[in-house]
């Protein structure tokens, strides 16, 4: 059973188990093409196996740094981008969700049984958003709307507000003539605009007002879920608050579900019922907003919280530190825990690998220049060859001394210096799975939560 | 008006609504016209174009049509090689007794026909081909663009000349030859525009709503891509007449028709012996026509510039 469906059975009382949208092990790889023939040389793993559920009327916050795949995932959920693997299911009853979890579990050896295959097929055609056709497809399309980050780019500059907001109603032939106008006015009034704005162009509005127009458009079909892709990131703080309050109001009026994508933790804190923290295409931690903010179970979550200067609460228990280093290349994500390269709590069991040594070398240009080859037996075992023995010696020194992270040093299982060659090996570490940490809570970290709560390791 | 805030629906409300939407759109259009006419050279060009089109429309009243075919030059064998100012032949006659004034007037009709037919067909074909390439991408794009490359690799004039020469001398063949040659430009422009426009977030927004692909193309992509095509079409209205006249000049049109290029060609033999008028007046018309459309095209480009539009 996948972590997400475990969470389901743990948390909600019976009766409210049906999730509106179920994201199951979703992957989205973008091919990297090179050369005249556009040969595929690798894949950027923008989203790499993400699962979570969104239930009716709840807000799920999706948070992470730039480039962690949160916007890609949002586009997948709203059906704008095809997914490479996994599945996104709309309105999946709880029973079928459990069944799906069992059937597609990796433990089921030798692939699903023929009967199961049929069952899977039935679930897919009835609920999987990229397999829905006809009436079911329209039902999903109507019920899942989206608000984009850039309010200017997401409104056709040649259309009047009336055209923009009435378009969904016209597409589904919900209203015509004066009824259409009145419906549009009603929608505009719900988002704090009015009849006087009907016949204006988007460029005549401020950023906040334009975002209100986008929201009115998203509300037009009375959807069950709205994907909000950083709806307030381009707005200044006072306008941001207005838009967030508007969204909260609309949610309580209409029992809307939100998938709220943002990099801003204070916004998430204000808006979300549950939070999904993403790092490099994977979920690093998920849980109820209150609990997650009280005690993060993943060092990345803690680092994000520390990176947020908190004006409201000066006695915040985390000092403002921020994250060091850059996000690794998502085409070659780090082994073990993907965050170990930047993690201040990292231990020897976090998945240190040859690439980490190469990364350390990059900080020493003189040594990096003389690196002539890396002969890998695996990601954890390789021989590094240098132009001269001096540089090889220098690397060995580096690895023995404190010039590299202590955890990396500790996890080295072999370090041999032979002339110009340094052969190194690490303990092989599997990918750190997302494991359940109590009701509604999961994190992908090898450490005990108390270590993360108490502060810097060692 | 406070009544309009009543929740009950009145039939006049939608009427009023349509009216004000129309007014806003009209205002936007008037803004464009205003920007156009604020440029004096554009106004000059427009004035020339309007008078040329006026001449073309009212040709039968300005110069009495020749019978049976008004596009054939009338022959007055009694008045050959008369200079301008001769009674009855205000701009003189050619060495076969053709009235230069008649040729200038009726030639504007031929030019208007040529430009409208060539630009009309090339814009339609180019826009469709370019849109298909830009929208579908992949191998469709690849195949279409390689075909376009083949067309573009041959110089316009020589290509048109070759086609017209193979098909034989006639005005229709010139129209055909120019259309075959010129559509590629629009295909290229349109493809680039569509690829750029389709990446806009408002296209994604329309997809999320669930609008059909055709609707998204017609409402979002096409209107936001067409501007450079409009400008190019205006410029080509002038260029087509230039190239057409060139083809006529070297004899690829029917001899003896009232067409400016043909007239220049037929008159050029007399220039050496001092009979300048037979070539000069039609030549001047070609020049004015091309200049006027180029001026307006430039003005249109400035007026439609997104950096100045609508803010």
């Amino acid at each position: 059973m996948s972590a997400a469906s475990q969470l389901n059975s743990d948390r909600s009382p019976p009766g409210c188990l049906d999730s509106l949208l179920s994201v199951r092990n979703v992957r989205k790889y973008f091919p990297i093409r090179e050369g005249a023939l556009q040969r595929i040389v690798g894949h950027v793993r923008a989203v790499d196996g993400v699962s979570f559920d969104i239930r009716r009327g709840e807000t799920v916050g999706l948070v992470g740094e730039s480039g962690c795949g949160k916007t890609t995932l949002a586009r997948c959920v709203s059906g704008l981008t095809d997914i490479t693997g996994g599945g996104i299911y709309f309105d999946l009853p709880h029973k079928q969700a459990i069944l799906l979890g069992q059937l597609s579990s990796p433990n089921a050896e030798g692939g699903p049984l023929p009967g199961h295959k049929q069952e899977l097929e039935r679930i897919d055609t009835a609920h999987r958003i990229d397999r829905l056709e006809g009436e079911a497809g329209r039902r999903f399309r109507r019920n899942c709307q989206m608000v984009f980050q850039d309010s200017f780019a997401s409104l056709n500059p040649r259309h009047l507000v009336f055209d923009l907001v009435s378009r969904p109603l016209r597409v589904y032939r919900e209203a015509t003539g004066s009824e259409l106008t009145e419906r549009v006015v009603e929608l505009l009034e719900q988002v704090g605009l009015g009849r006087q704005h009907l016949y204006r162009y988007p460029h005549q509005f401020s950023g906040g007002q334009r975002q209100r127009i986008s929201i009115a458009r998203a509300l037009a079909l009375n959807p069950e879920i709205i994907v909000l892709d950083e709806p307030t990131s381009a707005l200044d703080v006072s306008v941001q608050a207005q838009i967030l309050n508007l969204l909260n109001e609309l949610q309580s009026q209409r029992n809307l579900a939100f998938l709220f994508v943002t990099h801003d933790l204070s916004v998430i804190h204000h808006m979300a019922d549950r939070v999904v923290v993403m790092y490099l295409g994977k979920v690093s931690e998920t849980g109820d907003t209150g609990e997650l903010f009280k005690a993060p179970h993943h060092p990345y979550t803690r680092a994000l919280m520390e990176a947020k200067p908190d004006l409201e609460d000066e006695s915040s228990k985390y000092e403002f530190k921020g994250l060091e280093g850059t996000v690794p290349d998502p085409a070659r994500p780090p082994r073990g825990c993907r965050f170990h390269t930047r993690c201040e709590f990292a231990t020897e069991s976090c998945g240190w690998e040859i690439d980490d040594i190469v990364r350390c070398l990059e900080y020493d240009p003189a040594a990096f220049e003389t690196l002539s080859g890396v002969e890998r037996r695996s990601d954890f075992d390789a021989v590094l060859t240098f132009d001269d023995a001096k540089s090889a010696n220098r690397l060995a020194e580096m690895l023995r001394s404190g010039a590299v992270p202590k955890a990396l040093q500790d996890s080295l299982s072999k370090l041999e210096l032979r002339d110009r060659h340094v052969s190194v090996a690490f303990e092989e570490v599997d990918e750190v799975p997302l494991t359940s940490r109590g009701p509604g809570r999961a994190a992908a970290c090898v450490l005990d939560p108390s270590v993360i709560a108490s502060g810097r390791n060692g | 008006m406070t009544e309009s805030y009543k929740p009950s629906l009145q039939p006049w409300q939608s009427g009023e609504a349509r009216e004000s939407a129309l007014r806003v759109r009209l205002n936007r259009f008037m803004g464009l016209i205003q920007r156009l006419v604020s440029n004096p050279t554009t106004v000059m060009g427009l004035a020339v174009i309007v008078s040329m089109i006026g001449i073309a429309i009212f040709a039968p009243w300005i110069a009495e049509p020749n019978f049976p075919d008004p596009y054939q030059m009338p022959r007055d064998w009694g008045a050959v090689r008369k200079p301008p100012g001769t009674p009855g032949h205000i701009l003189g006659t050619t060495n076969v007794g053709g009235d230069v004034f008649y040729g200038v007037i009726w030639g504007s009709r031929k030019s208007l026909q040529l430009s409208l037919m060539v630009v009309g067909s090339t814009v339609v074909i180019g826009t469709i081909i370019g849109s298909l390439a830009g929208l579908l991408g992949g191998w469709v794009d690849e195949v279409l663009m390689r075909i376009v490359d083949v067309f573009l690799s041959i110089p316009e004039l020589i290509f048109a000349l070759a086609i017209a020469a193979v098909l034989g001398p006639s005005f229709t063949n010139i129209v055909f030859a120019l259309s075959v040659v010129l559509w590629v430009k629009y295909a290229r422009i349109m493809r680039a525009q569509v690829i750029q426009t389709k990446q806009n977030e408002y296209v994604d927004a329309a997809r999320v709503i669930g609008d059909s692909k055709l609707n998204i193309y017609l409402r979002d992509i096409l209107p936001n891509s067409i501007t450079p095509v409009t400008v190019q079409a205006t410029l080509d209205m002038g260029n087509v007449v230039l190239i057409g006249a060139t083809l006529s000049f070297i004899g690829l049109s029917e001899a003896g028709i009232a067409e400016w290029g043909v007239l220049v060609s037929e008159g050029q033999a007399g220039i050496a012996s001092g009979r300048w008028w037979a070539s000069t007046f039609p030549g001047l018309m070609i020049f004015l026509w091309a200049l006027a459309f180029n001026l307006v095209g430039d003005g249109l480009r400035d007026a439609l510039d997104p950096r100045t539009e609508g803010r």
Side-chain angles (χ1 to χ4, degrees):
Chain A
M1 205 189 273
S2 75
S5 44
Q6 257 174 34
L7 302 183
N8 259 348
S9 42
D10 283 345
R11 184 175 173 269
S12 303
C16 322
L17 291 168
D18 296 355
S19 71
L20 189 58
L21 207 75
S22 313
V23 176
R24 286 291 176 271
N25 196 24
V26 164
R27 279 170 287 130
K28 175 65 190 175
Y29 295 172
F30 292 105
I32 308 168
R33 292 169 194 276
E34 240 171 48
L37 292 173
Q38 294 290 287
R39 208 161 41 87
I40 296 171
V41 293
H43 287 94
V44 173
R45 302 176 183 188
V47 180
D48 201 3
V50 171
S51 304
F52 61 87
D53 288 87
I54 304 172
R55 284 179 281 268
R56 281 195 170 72
E58 95 174 329
T59 302
V60 172
L62 190 59
V63 70
E65 277 169 292
S66 311
C68 72
K70 54 188 194 301
T71 293
T72 306
L73 182 58
R75 290 176 60 90
C76 292
V77 167
S78 64
L80 280 175
T81 306
D82 298 332
I83 54 178
T84 314
I88 298 167
Y89 301 86
F90 178 65
D91 209 8
L92 191 66
H94 183 56
K95 257 180 146 168
Q96 293 195 333
I98 292 176
L99 195 63
L100 185 73
Q102 287 166 346
L103 295 184
S104 52
S105 149
N107 305 347
E109 275 171 38
L113 298 166
H116 289 171
K117 219 169 173 177
Q118 272 175 14
E119 193 59 40
L120 269 180
E121 185 68 19
R122 204 170 307 139
I123 296 177
D124 276 5
T125 48
H127 298 285
R128 212 177 123 131
I129 63 165
D130 46 357
R131 296 276 302 274
L132 296 176
E133 277 165 9
E135 192 47 50
R138 264 196 299 282
R139 194 174 143 248
F140 167 71
R141 203 53 290 157
R142 292 184 56 137
N143 277 302
C144 178
Q145 294 294 311
M146 188 164 180
V147 173
F148 297 85
Q149 173 175 6
D150 186 343
S151 62
F152 195 69
S154 58
L155 301 173
N156 188 333
R158 283 168 200 276
H159 287 181
L160 298 167
V161 171
F162 172 77
D163 304 327
L164 292 162
V165 178
S166 69
R167 187 164 181 182
L169 300 171
R170 282 178 287 139
V171 167
Y172 294 92
R173 298 200 174 82
E174 295 241 317
T176 50
S178 50
E179 193 198 342
L180 183 65
T181 314
E182 290 315 307
R183 291 270 297 264
V184 171
V185 171
E186 208 177 290
L187 285 162
L188 287 177
E189 279 166 358
Q190 279 187 27
V191 297
L193 298 169
R195 189 180 293 271
Q196 70 274 20
H197 298 116
L198 269 181
Y199 303 111
R200 293 196 195 161
Y201 287 102
H203 69 254
Q204 294 170 298
F205 292 90
S206 68
Q209 284 175 314
R210 277 201 297 268
Q211 207 56 288
R212 285 169 192 271
I213 298 169
S214 286
I215 294 169
R217 174 173 64 184
L219 288 175
L221 294 169
N222 208 3
E224 300 211 59
I225 178 165
I226 300 182
V227 176
L228 301 152
D229 183 13
E230 309 218 25
T232 57
S233 302
L235 305 174
D236 72 51
V237 184
S238 59
V239 182
Q240 221 176 66
Q242 289 171 13
I243 297 289
L244 294 177
N245 288 333
L246 171 69
L247 288 170
N248 270 335
E249 249 170 62
L250 292 167
Q251 179 168 44
S252 52
Q253 281 167 15
R254 294 166 169 246
N255 196 29
L256 273 167
F258 288 150
L259 175 62
F260 200 107
V261 179
T262 182
H263 58 259
D264 190 335
L265 280 177
S266 28
V267 170
I268 282 287
H269 201 168
H270 184 67
M271 295 294 293
D273 301 313
R274 283 192 302 128
V275 181
V276 176
V277 183
M278 267 182 87
Y279 183 73
L280 268 181
K282 272 196 164 319
V283 175
S284 62
E285 182 173 4
T286 168
D288 285 345
T289 309
E291 286 171 35
L292 186 126
F293 274 85
K294 207 159 52 188
H297 283 195
H298 196 285
Y300 180 60
T301 317
R302 190 188 152 117
L304 283 179
M305 283 158 68
E306 283 168 347
K308 173 179 77 92
D310 199 338
L311 294 177
E312 296 157 29
D313 183 12
E314 284 187 40
S315 62
S316 168
K317 60 178 170 169
Y318 304 118
E319 53 181 312
F320 173 52
K321 273 209 301 273
L323 269 165
E324 278 174 15
T326 51
V327 184
D329 181 6
R332 273 191 67 84
R335 297 292 299 261
C337 169
R338 293 192 174 188
F339 186 56
H340 77 254
T341 58
R342 301 164 75 193
C343 181
E344 57 173 330
F345 298 96
T347 67
E348 66 271 17
S349 49
C350 285
W352 295 94
E353 52 171 327
I354 302 303
D355 279 355
D356 292 312
I357 294 180
V358 179
R359 271 186 214 110
C360 288
L361 271 175
E362 280 171 18
Y363 290 107
D364 187 353
F368 191 64
E369 284 287 300
T370 57
L371 180 66
S372 60
V374 181
E375 192 191 314
R376 286 169 202 265
R377 269 187 288 272
S378 76
D379 283 345
F380 298 99
D381 188 352
V383 179
L384 288 87
T385 308
F386 289 87
D387 290 340
D388 50 56
K390 210 179 105 209
S391 297
N393 194 35
R394 192 160 150 179
L395 174 67
E397 276 308 304
M398 249 172 80
L399 293 174
R400 281 187 196 114
S401 71
V404 296
K406 190 172 173 303
L408 189 155
Q409 222 175 323
D410 290 346
S411 63
L412 271 173
S413 62
K414 183 173 90 177
L415 172 59
E416 285 170 19
L417 176 65
R418 268 185 300 107
D419 191 26
R420 298 188 293 122
H421 311 284
V422 184
S423 55
V424 281
F426 294 96
E427 291 298 329
E428 285 206 22
V429 175
D430 286 334
E431 191 144 43
V432 179
L434 192 66
T435 48
S436 181
R437 303 288 180 93
R441 197 78 198 273
C445 186
V446 295
L447 293 171
D448 190 75
S450 61
V451 179
I452 298 157
S454 66
R456 194 173 284 271
N457 186 30
Chain B
M1 248 194 274
T2 47
E3 295 98 304
S4 59
Y5 284 91
K6 273 188 193 163
S8 65
L9 301 177
Q10 303 291 332
W12 51 265
Q13 278 180 332
S14 69
E16 181 203 44
R18 228 176 286 128
E19 194 183 78
S20 41
L22 199 69
R23 205 174 54 226
V24 173
R25 292 209 173 83
L26 197 68
N27 279 344
R28 192 180 175 121
F29 181 69
M30 290 316 284
L32 171 70
I33 300 291
Q34 220 160 41
R35 280 197 300 281
L36 259 182
V37 300
S38 66
N39 185 346
T41 55
T42 310
V43 176
M44 266 167 52
L46 275 173
V48 173
I49 291 172
V50 168
S51 32
M52 290 276 195
I53 292 175
I55 290 172
I57 291 170
F58 296 108
W61 288 274
I62 301 169
E64 201 188 320
N66 190 19
F67 186 82
D69 179 6
Y71 295 106
Q72 281 293 328
M73 288 288 281
R75 301 266 186 253
D76 182 355
W77 292 106
V80 176
R81 296 172 190 171
K82 293 287 184 221
T86 310
H89 303 291
I90 193 160
L91 294 180
T93 55
T94 65
N95 54 0
V96 290
D99 184 24
V100 176
F101 180 72
Y102 186 93
V104 164
I105 300 299
W106 283 84
S108 65
R109 275 205 163 188
K110 273 284 175 204
S111 296
L112 192 63
Q113 281 172 8
L114 179 71
S115 322
L116 286 181
M117 285 197 281
V118 172
V119 172
S121 59
T122 51
V123 163
V124 171
I125 296 169
T127 303
I128 292 173
I129 301 276
S131 296
L132 282 176
L135 286 176
L136 300 176
W139 64 267
V140 177
D141 180 25
E142 202 64 34
V143 168
L144 289 175
M145 282 306 113
R146 293 298 80 79
I147 295 172
V148 165
D149 283 346
V150 170
F151 277 76
L152 281 174
S153 64
I154 310 166
E156 269 174 24
L157 186 61
I158 294 173
F159 193 14
L161 199 150
I163 297 171
V166 167
L167 295 175
S170 95
F171 183 74
T172 326
N173 289 344
I174 291 184
V175 172
F176 180 77
L178 285 176
S179 303
V180 168
V181 172
L182 292 177
W183 68 271
V184 286
K185 235 191 306 188
Y186 296 102
R188 260 286 156 88
I189 296 172
M190 200 57 198
R191 172 183 174 268
Q193 284 291 310
V194 165
I195 287 176
Q196 203 182 5
T197 309
K198 76 173 180 180
Q199 285 163 353
N200 273 308
E201 238 170 27
Y202 53 77
V203 175
D204 287 336
R207 286 175 57 204
V208 169
I209 289 169
D211 214 344
S212 67
K213 281 182 177 148
L214 182 66
N215 260 340
I216 292 174
Y217 172 68
L218 292 177
R219 302 170 136 271
D220 296 304
I221 298 175
L222 185 63
N224 286 297
S225 304
I226 202 76
T227 303
V229 171
T230 320
V231 173
Q232 186 61 44
T234 312
L235 295 170
D236 273 354
M237 286 289 287
N239 298 342
V240 161
V241 168
L242 270 183
I243 306 174
T246 312
L247 297 183
S248 299
F249 180 83
I250 52 178
L252 292 173
S253 206
E254 293 106 333
I257 63 164
E259 203 275 338
W260 295 337
V262 175
L263 288 176
V264 174
S265 163
E266 289 175 355
Q268 50 106 15
I271 294 176
S273 27
R275 295 191 306 277
W276 53 269
W277 55 88
S279 285
T280 306
F281 291 114
L284 205 62
M285 292 301 274
I286 296 171
F287 164 73
L288 278 177
W289 182 280
L291 178 73
F293 276 104
N294 273 285
L295 289 177
V296 174
D298 282 346
L300 204 58
R301 178 162 49 207
D302 293 342
L304 290 170
D305 188 333
R307 278 163 295 189
T308 59
E309 191 187 5
R311 290 267 164 181

